[in-house]
Amino acid sequence: QVQLVESGGGLVQPGGSLKLSCTASRTIFNVYAVGWYRQAPGKERDLVARITIAGRTTYADSVKGRFTISRDNAKNTVYLQMNSLKPEDTAVYYCKWAVLTGPGSPYDYWGQGTQVTVSS
């Protein structure tokens, strides 16, 4: 079995920073993208940031210029550096490994989620 373990969430004031980490219990093969999603109570789970195996990045408009996604393949870890945090960033953040298991057969691994709360 493969598990994705997240850490780094917490309570911060507006304008503060946090760095989230997501580490796989073992190397996952055939990964074509890793990313971060977030979900606030009563809302849909939305894409925050994504990076492909080729290094292409995608960010939600609401976080561009403030958040940065990165990865360390040797550590099986993906990071999300969050700066200039706003109250509307409050949500549970989930990491995802997107895997191609065969022709036209994708599979997603998800982390357990970590709470980020931005408040005075």
Side-chain angles (χ1 to χ4, degrees), residues 30-34 51-56 71 73:
N30 301 317
V31 175
Y32 63 88
V34 294
I51 184 167
T52 71
I53 195 67
R56 301 180 188 272
R71 66 181 188 271
N73 292 333

Side-chain angles (χ1 to χ4, degrees), residues 36-96:
W36 289 93
Y37 295 72
R38 67 186 181 188
Q39 186 170 22
K43 297 184 178 180
E44 297 180 348
R45 186 175 298 186
D46 296 325
L47 175 70
V48 176
R50 180 177 186 262
I51 184 167
T52 71
I53 195 67
R56 301 180 188 272
T57 57
T58 301
Y59 295 94
D61 288 341
S62 59
V63 308
K64 287 180 179 177
R66 300 189 297 120
F67 291 10
T68 303
I69 187 170
S70 62
R71 66 181 188 271
D72 186 332
N73 292 333
K75 296 181 179 179
N76 297 319
T77 300
V78 61
Y79 304 96
L80 185 67
Q81 178 66 52
M82 304 185 294
N83 299 323
S84 302
L85 283 162
K86 304 174 180 179
E88 51 263 43
D89 295 319
T90 296
V92 177
Y93 285 70
Y94 300 88
C95 62
K96 185 183 79 172

